[in-house]
Amino acid sequence: MKKGNILFGTIGAIIGCLPGVALYVGVAMLRVFSSWSGFVALYCAIFMYTLFSRKLTKIGVIISIIISCASMLLAEVIVTSISIANRYHFTFFTVFKNFLKIYPKLNNKFSFWIYPIIACVFVVIGGYGYLTNKNKNDVELVDNDEVEYDYEEDDEIEEINDNIEKETKE
């Protein structure tokens, strides 16, 4: 079994969260409760982590949970930026770029935080379920692979070495 790569897995998890962010933003634009899209972000992040790192460990699932929670916050920032841009006739990118300056002036900060928090709760519940029940055999505690030897290749290599020694003696 190949050894997993945490850096590539993290990059994969970031890429994997993008469908969840898109779903969150799309459903929120329809004025529907969209926090359940945290499940989508988590499972896509876990899938892409596994694809990029070639191995899923518990650390990989935890990294995917953290990145999925951060992506839900990003999705809410995007939704709020779109709403502000539409209301006050600014471009989305102007509002998004200056969001940290605009945030203190929001009237209802509670509504900004409630949906990403609920989405993060869904992400944590899904991650906990993934770690404990669903795929116990697929997730390893640590990445402790031993080198596996293919004995047939060793035999072939020995035979080649023997042939080379015979030819050099002759």
Side-chain angles (χ1 to χ4, degrees):
M1 194 173 267
K2 295 182 179 178
K3 189 173 182 178
N5 188 332
I6 293 177
L7 176 64
F8 287 143
T10 303
I11 292 169
I14 291 169
I15 293 169
C17 283
L18 296 179
V21 171
L23 181 65
Y24 185 104
V25 171
V27 173
M29 289 291 100
L30 298 173
R31 306 269 185 212
V32 178
F33 182 67
S34 61
S35 294
W36 54 269
S37 61
F39 281 129
V40 173
L42 175 66
Y43 285 102
C44 288
I46 288 173
F47 173 75
M48 292 299 286
Y49 183 95
T50 306
L51 186 67
F52 276 53
S53 77
R54 297 172 284 159
K55 186 173 185 177
L56 183 63
T57 60
K58 286 190 177 188
I59 293 170
V61 175
I62 291 169
I63 288 171
S64 297
I65 290 170
I66 292 168
I67 290 173
S68 297
C69 287
S71 73
M72 293 298 100
L73 182 60
L74 172 67
E76 185 62 32
V77 168
I78 291 171
V79 168
T80 305
S81 296
I82 291 172
S83 298
I84 292 170
N86 288 340
R87 185 178 306 142
Y88 297 108
H89 305 291
F90 289 111
T91 63
F92 164 75
F93 292 107
T94 304
V95 177
F96 184 75
K97 184 172 64 174
N98 297 310
F99 188 79
L100 291 177
K101 296 175 186 173
I102 296 170
Y103 173 76
K105 297 175 183 162
L106 291 177
N107 291 334
N108 195 355
K109 291 182 179 90
F110 176 75
S111 66
F112 173 81
W113 285 103
I114 188 69
Y115 296 117
I117 288 173
I118 293 171
C120 289
V121 168
F122 286 154
V123 166
V124 170
I125 289 170
Y128 178 76
Y130 195 90
L131 286 174
T132 57
N133 297 327
K134 186 175 178 185
N135 294 326
K136 283 186 177 177
N137 295 331
D138 294 343
V139 180
E140 295 182 17
L141 181 59
V142 292
D143 195 8
N144 58 354
D145 285 336
E146 294 179 10
V147 178
E148 295 180 14
Y149 293 104
D150 188 3
Y151 294 107
E152 292 175 7
E153 288 181 7
D154 287 344
D155 293 339
E156 290 174 3
I157 292 171
E158 286 179 19
E159 185 178 330
I160 291 170
N161 287 336
D162 290 341
N163 289 338
I164 292 172
E165 286 178 15
K166 287 179 185 177
E167 288 179 9
T168 55
K169 288 181 182 177
E170 293 175 359

